[in-house]
Amino acid sequence: MTTDNNSKIKLVDIISRALFQIEQDGCFMGNSQSGFRGDNPGYQSTKDKVAEWVKRKEKDNDFSMDSYVMPADREALQEKADDILMHFKTMKPSNNEFINTCIALSLSEEDMIDKKFIGYVVAMVPTYNKSKERDQFNEEYKDSDYIGVAGKRRNFFIKLIHKHHMIDHESWIYTFIDRNKNLVKTWVTYDKHDAWEFNVNDCIDLDAYVRKHELNKYSNLRETFINRVKIIENKGQA
């Protein structure tokens, strides 16, 4: 798909190329772990690669997927790109400046944006994917209920489903489920994180205090927080 203005490009063309690049790399690659470009020599983010591709294609001013996607795969890629664009078009403004910028770009006249906004458009893809993953998670665990009595110690046999690194707090949050898909969370220090060596999907037999029961303010899911954890046995993957 061509543009009439060399400074502008179709949103779906950038989204399509970002989807393609992420698939080629196996994941979305941010601007290095620290968030600062250039601190890892030779590292290229997804945004860097898409921007380089745009620069190479500027001579012809043709950014369609026809030159890099097999005919049999074009319809699915186009559909996914359209879904992502529509996702932001129909979003309500929030307190998140990045999200609001993406919404504004998605509503651009004739769905075209200045090339200086390529980074925002590329980042729409992982943002959309995370939103869908969150929706799926909330649906799967919508019936989660509280476990135990706050302030009381008890046994848990639970499966680790997620580990989230809380860099600002110098710790991790582990999320588990029991056999009834009730959510259990605990804060884990770096020392314990290294010592436990838990992998996602490991089933753990442990004793712990029920610290509190809490309704997640974002998902409205019931969560049980535990602490003073004593590991009995890691039963491994299930």
Side-chain angles (χ1 to χ4, degrees), residues 168-182:
D168 292 342
H169 297 277
E170 297 185 345
S171 60
W172 292 75
I173 290 184
Y174 283 15
T175 302
F176 302 86
I177 56 169
D178 69 3
R179 290 185 176 94
N180 296 314
K181 292 190 174 181
N182 298 315

Side-chain angles (χ1 to χ4, degrees), residues 55-67:
K55 189 172 183 179
R56 291 197 306 269
K57 300 292 288 184
E58 281 179 338
K59 181 179 180 181
D60 299 327
N61 199 32
D62 182 0
F63 305 100
S64 70
M65 68 176 73
D66 294 358
S67 63

Side-chain angles (χ1 to χ4, degrees), residues 35-189:
F36 294 96
R37 182 178 176 181
D39 58 354
N40 290 337
Y43 178 90
Q44 276 194 307
S45 68
T46 302
K47 179 252 183 180
D48 295 334
K49 293 177 180 180
V50 172
E52 283 190 2
W53 172 79
V54 168
K55 189 172 183 179
R56 291 197 306 269
K57 300 292 288 184
E58 281 179 338
K59 181 179 180 181
D60 299 327
N61 199 32
D62 182 0
F63 305 100
S64 70
M65 68 176 73
D66 294 358
S67 63
Y68 63 88
V69 178
M70 297 293 291
D73 299 326
R74 289 173 191 166
E75 183 177 352
L77 185 63
Q78 182 69 51
E79 184 176 349
K80 181 70 176 291
D82 289 340
D83 286 347
I84 293 172
L85 182 56
M86 185 56 63
H87 174 78
F88 286 96
K89 281 179 178 291
T90 56
M91 282 187 74
K92 295 180 180 179
S94 71
N95 295 324
N96 187 304
E97 183 179 352
F98 166 75
I99 293 295
N100 290 337
T101 301
C102 290
I103 293 172
L105 290 172
S106 73
L107 298 172
S108 299
E109 185 178 358
E110 296 183 352
D111 291 338
M112 297 181 69
I113 53 105
D114 193 288
K115 292 171 186 173
K116 67 182 180 181
F117 294 114
I118 284 175
Y120 281 97
V121 180
V122 169
M124 285 181 179
V125 177
T127 303
Y128 169 86
N129 289 339
K130 287 180 180 178
S131 175
K132 291 302 177 184
E133 290 171 2
R134 186 165 55 247
D135 290 345
Q136 291 172 0
F137 182 93
N138 292 344
E139 177 63 26
E140 183 170 2
Y141 300 108
K142 64 182 180 181
D143 295 325
S144 172
D145 207 349
Y146 301 131
I147 304 174
V149 179
K152 298 291 185 178
R153 193 171 188 88
R154 61 164 289 158
N155 178 257
F156 292 84
F157 186 69
I158 47 183
K159 181 168 76 170
L160 180 63
I161 61 171
H162 185 67
K163 296 189 287 188
H164 182 62
H165 190 192
M166 303 292 288
I167 297 176
D168 292 342
H169 297 277
E170 297 185 345
S171 60
W172 292 75
I173 290 184
Y174 283 15
T175 302
F176 302 86
I177 56 169
D178 69 3
R179 290 185 176 94
N180 296 314
K181 292 190 174 181
N182 298 315
L183 294 165
V184 178
K185 289 187 173 181
T186 189
W187 288 82
V188 179
T189 63

